[in-house]
Amino acid sequence: MILFKNANVYAPMSLGRKDILLEGTKVCKISDTIDIDCKTLGIEIVDLTGKFLVPGFIDQHVHVIGAGGEGGYPTRTPEMQISNIVKYGITSIVCLRGTDGTARNLEALYAKATALEKEGITTYMLTGSFEVPVDTITGSVRRDVALIDKVIGVKTAISDRRSSQPTRAEVERLAAEAYTGGLVGGKRGYTHIHMGTGARRLNMVFDIIRETELPPYLFIPTHVNRDLALFDHAMELAKLGAYIDLTAGIEPGNGFPEALKTSKAIKKCIDNGVPLDQLTISSDSNGSMTVYDAQGNIERVVATTVDALYLELKDMIEIEGIPLETALKPLTENVAKAIGVYPQKGTIAEGADADLVILSDRLEIDRVYAKGKQVADKNGATIYGLFEHSANL
């Protein structure tokens, strides 16, 4: 058991100064003061005076088995290691595949997600990838979501030259299958949509929401801040009740001259009356993108990094002037609700998982706890995978 004393708690809403008791993997008690015989019971006491205690970050778009490869096999990114995830405050992730759904299969994704879970964090995954017809494990999206423990939804891609150019009917079917599978399996059963910068933008999603019985919250288009026109479209979609997912670390350049930095995009949403509850942020970490010139020749290859989520949180607060409790929501509570794991995840509450990040008064990561166990401190990760060597980190 661990007792945090004098913590300035943001759950993500501000709770003020509290004592918090952890028992096993859960938050056991939250109170103004918890008086308990810690010595007799063997309880570790951690004084958090002057520090913030916030929920562990949830990253719903992580390429744990690598991604990229559209510039040839040497452009494929490698697998991720647990230490590089937790040191940036991430305690839960959704694993998925990228452009290459041919050389990387779902069985490998499931195996890697399971390994990371055993190493210390919480993992989920999406079936499918860029292609339609959809690649699955059991033979159908519905069966994958209903029967496979880690599968909570499906991924597809639209408005992108690398997609399989799915029709509206095909995307409707995907969403319906994921939804019904989720009903059977007790999961969200949502559809995570990779967005390119094609001229059709989100028109297909608008039409599906307006003309079918599928509820808006089942749709989570991602990378919506990689183009200004796409982002304007996405803000209107959020007003209809869909979630929109912004990619951390995106800035103008690297193939996206009209990109909007995530912290600025969140501020723009607030200023334009977009419901804050419909906004999420993910890192797209370990993904890569090949940048081409006008003749289709490779200019360079860029890769996304897992620290982007935390850096955008700081930028929202320090540059855009967004309050901490507001800035935290797209990384914690909103994501948990969008993917269907709230209130187990995304909040600090009695009975919730003990996924916690301790921040200094300068918003530096001081310690990270995943399911009640410390996994990182101010010097970096304190846990490592079987094949990691700390000297090489």
Side-chain angles (χ1 to χ4, degrees), residues 6 30-31 123 158 237 282:
N6 307 310
I30 301 174
S31 181
T123 62
I158 64 173
L237 188 70
S282 62

Side-chain angles (χ1 to χ4, degrees), residues 1 3 21 34-45:
M1 299 174 75
L3 177 60
L21 181 65
I34 297 177
D35 294 318
I36 192 169
D37 187 351
C38 295
K39 185 175 181 180
T40 300
L41 297 174
I43 299 173
E44 177 187 357
I45 301 175

Side-chain angles (χ1 to χ4, degrees), residues 30 74 103 133 169 189 226 257 297 378:
I30 301 174
R226 61 174 36 172
N297 301 309
K378 60 185 177 182

Side-chain angles (χ1 to χ4, degrees), residues 33-330:
T33 302
I34 297 177
D35 294 318
I36 192 169
D37 187 351
C38 295
K39 185 175 181 180
T40 300
L41 297 174
I43 299 173
E44 177 187 357
I45 301 175
V46 180
D47 186 4
L48 297 185
T49 301
K51 294 183 171 64
F52 300 107
L53 185 65
V54 306
F57 308 149
I58 305 170
D59 196 339
Q60 67 167 311
H61 193 115
V62 185
H63 296 286
V64 294
I65 59 172
E70 66 176 88
Y73 294 135
T75 66
R76 289 158 46 92
T77 60
E79 286 194 3
M80 296 182 69
Q81 300 294 340
I82 185 72
S83 64
N84 200 39
I85 297 172
V86 297
K87 68 181 180 181
Y88 296 113
I90 298 168
T91 56
S92 300
I93 60 174
V94 181
C95 310
L96 40 66
R97 293 186 296 171
T99 312
D100 178 12
T102 303
R104 293 183 174 92
N105 60 46
L106 288 166
E107 289 82 359
L109 186 66
Y110 180 87
K112 181 64 176 179
T114 302
L116 290 169
E117 177 106 26
K118 290 181 179 297
E119 289 171 347
I121 63 174
T122 300
T123 62
Y124 311 96
M125 65 176 279
L126 300 179
T127 192
S129 60
F130 268 49
E131 296 90 357
V132 176
V134 184
D135 182 25
T136 64
I137 296 176
T138 64
S140 79
V141 170
R142 181 169 59 183
R143 290 175 63 85
D144 277 11
V145 176
L147 300 176
I148 299 176
D149 57 345
K150 289 196 173 297
V151 179
I152 59 174
V154 65
K155 177 184 178 180
T156 191
I158 64 173
S159 297
D160 192 299
R161 57 182 172 79
R162 299 165 297 171
S163 76
S164 59
Q165 309 303 317
T167 65
R168 171 182 157 178
E170 289 173 322
V171 174
E172 280 182 22
R173 178 65 61 86
L174 281 182
E177 289 224 355
Y179 179 48
T180 55
L183 293 176
V184 173
K187 304 169 185 175
R188 186 64 143 182
Y190 66 96
T191 301
H192 190 73
I193 306 173
H194 165 99
M195 293 302 305
T197 56
R200 290 174 290 181
R201 301 186 184 96
L202 285 158
N203 287 331
M204 181 187 296
V205 182
F206 274 104
D207 290 343
I208 293 173
I209 289 174
R210 288 167 174 159
E211 299 176 20
T212 74
E213 296 75 29
L214 294 169
Y217 61 76
L218 293 178
F219 298 91
I220 309 179
T222 189
H223 313 317
V224 297
N225 55 317
R226 61 174 36 172
D227 178 79
L228 289 175
L230 173 61
F231 185 67
D232 287 343
H233 222 204
M235 287 195 294
E236 293 305 312
L237 188 70
K239 292 176 181 178
L240 291 181
Y243 289 93
I244 59 172
D245 185 51
L246 294 85
T247 301
I250 284 185
E251 295 192 41
N254 291 330
F256 300 115
E258 296 293 320
L260 184 63
K261 181 172 167 54
T262 296
S263 55
K264 295 183 180 298
I266 294 290
K267 183 64 164 59
K268 185 175 181 179
C269 285
I270 294 171
D271 292 343
N272 283 272
V274 178
L276 179 66
D277 290 346
Q278 304 308 122
L279 308 179
T280 65
I281 303 174
S282 62
S283 71
D284 193 19
S285 57
N286 210 33
S288 76
M289 185 188 70
T290 304
V291 180
Y292 299 91
D293 63 20
Q295 286 73 43
N297 301 309
I298 296 176
E299 288 186 340
R300 62 190 181 281
V301 177
V302 296
T304 50
T305 56
V306 74
D307 62 343
L309 210 62
Y310 165 66
L311 295 176
E312 292 286 4
L313 174 68
K314 290 192 69 178
D315 286 350
M316 279 191 281
I317 298 165
E318 297 175 347
I319 297 176
E320 301 301 329
I322 298 172
L324 176 58
E325 60 187 319
T326 302
L328 281 169
K329 285 176 68 72

Side-chain angles (χ1 to χ4, degrees), residues 334-349:
N334 292 359
V335 194
K337 290 179 177 178
I339 67 175
V341 297
Y342 184 87
Q344 177 183 353
K345 302 289 185 182
T347 188
I348 300 176

